[in-house]
Amino acid sequence: MKVYAISDLHLSINNPKPMDIFGAVWDNYLDDIKKSLEPVGNDDLVLLAGDLSWAMTLDNAIPDLEYIGKFPGKKIITRGNHDYWWKSISAVRAALPHNVYAIQNDCLRFGDVIVCGSRGWSVDDKSEDGKRLYARELLRMEMSLAAMQKQRAEGDKVIFMIHYPPYNVKFESSPVTELFEKYKVDAVVYGHIHGKNCYGKKSLVKNGVKYFLTSCDQVGNTAVEIF
């Protein structure tokens, strides 16, 4: 079983919102993503760390979720800051195609891979509201990791999906990265950041944890192989 990741698809199948206004990298980007996923097998995993759809309601997001469902492999999704349609996790799960799985502050096992997930929040948001949201997301991330720890067995690999970058522009340690180290997470995939001048690195290793930026425009609209 292989594991791939790609995020920030910003789909709008039934209500087109062209992404190419943000630059040439978005020209035909969905075609490029689909082509990059052609090697994916039925038992492989495709992780999508948020900002899946521009839809405002779950009903309007259904065509976008069905589009994701047509990708090969087993798709695992988590919420991004633009996923306003994502309300109740039970309602989201009930609406998903049979081969798409949603994670929200919990975890799922696929063979010897355990996938955890939470939206996260910006480490750079120092407003009072930002600090409140960051603290809340830390609690939710630990819920996901605690659930993982209860079922983790020797030889298992653990991946955490978070939409927001887990560190600042200097890639310094944060309460989020410290949490990943505490629970001995093997790999972290994240997205959210875009543009020519964003501070992301496609991959790095920090204190034994591998981090992968998967925003589609930052990885050439090509799924990243994690394992």
Side-chain angles (χ1 to χ4, degrees):
M1 179 176 66
K2 293 184 177 181
V3 181
Y4 301 84
I6 189 88
S7 70
D8 297 79
L9 272 60
H10 293 286
L11 296 171
S12 54
I13 300 301
N14 274 6
N15 186 25
K17 184 174 181 178
M19 291 297 293
D20 55 10
I21 63 172
F22 298 110
V25 69
W26 295 94
D27 290 343
N28 303 311
Y29 76 105
L30 292 177
D31 291 337
D32 293 337
I33 290 172
K34 287 172 65 177
K35 185 175 182 179
S36 78
L37 292 171
E38 288 176 358
V40 174
N42 290 336
D43 293 325
D44 293 338
L45 306 183
V46 179
L47 312 182
L48 299 109
D51 279 6
L52 308 168
S53 168
W54 284 117
M56 299 299 291
T57 67
L58 180 55
D59 284 345
N60 288 337
I62 295 298
D64 299 331
L65 297 173
E66 290 176 343
Y67 183 90
I68 290 171
K70 293 176 183 176
F71 291 160
K74 299 173 182 176
K75 281 71 64 178
I76 301 94
I77 63 173
T78 193
R79 186 180 183 181
N81 62 302
H82 286 297
D83 290 317
Y84 298 112
W85 55 272
W86 186 308
K87 305 296 184 183
S88 158
I89 184 61
S90 58
V92 169
R93 285 174 171 158
L96 294 177
H98 74 280
N99 55 358
V100 181
Y101 306 83
I103 294 180
Q104 181 174 289
N105 317 321
D106 53 6
C107 66
L108 291 172
R109 172 185 287 279
F110 300 89
D112 62 354
V113 175
I114 303 177
V115 184
C116 309
S118 184
R119 181 184 62 177
W121 197 254
S122 172
V123 67
D124 296 315
D125 187 349
K126 301 304 181 184
S127 67
E128 288 304 311
D129 195 45
K131 288 188 281 188
R132 177 185 63 81
L133 289 169
Y134 191 83
R136 185 186 69 183
E137 287 299 314
L138 277 175
L139 291 174
R140 290 175 170 177
M141 281 184 268
E142 187 143 31
M143 286 171 55
S144 178
L145 290 164
M148 172 278 298
Q149 196 65 30
K150 290 179 180 179
Q151 58 177 288
R152 189 176 196 172
E154 185 176 353
D156 285 343
K157 292 188 180 298
V158 175
I159 304 174
F160 201 102
M161 300 169 60
I162 181 173
H163 181 64
Y164 283 85
Y167 30 57
N168 60 18
V169 296
K170 297 181 180 178
F171 306 100
E172 295 172 325
S173 294
S174 71
V176 173
T177 63
E178 291 168 0
L179 201 57
F180 296 149
E181 294 162 20
K182 173 184 175 181
Y183 284 90
K184 295 180 172 56
V185 171
D186 294 290
V188 175
V189 301
Y190 67 96
H192 183 66
I193 54 178
H194 303 287
K196 293 181 180 179
N197 299 316
C198 77
Y199 62 86
K201 291 183 179 180
K202 291 182 180 180
S203 65
L204 64 86
V205 178
K206 185 175 180 63
N207 296 331
V209 181
K210 296 179 180 179
Y211 293 87
F212 296 88
L213 171 61
T214 62
S215 301
C216 60
D217 65 312
Q218 297 300 300
V219 294
N221 299 317
T222 300
V224 177
E225 187 170 343
I226 308 303
F227 293 136

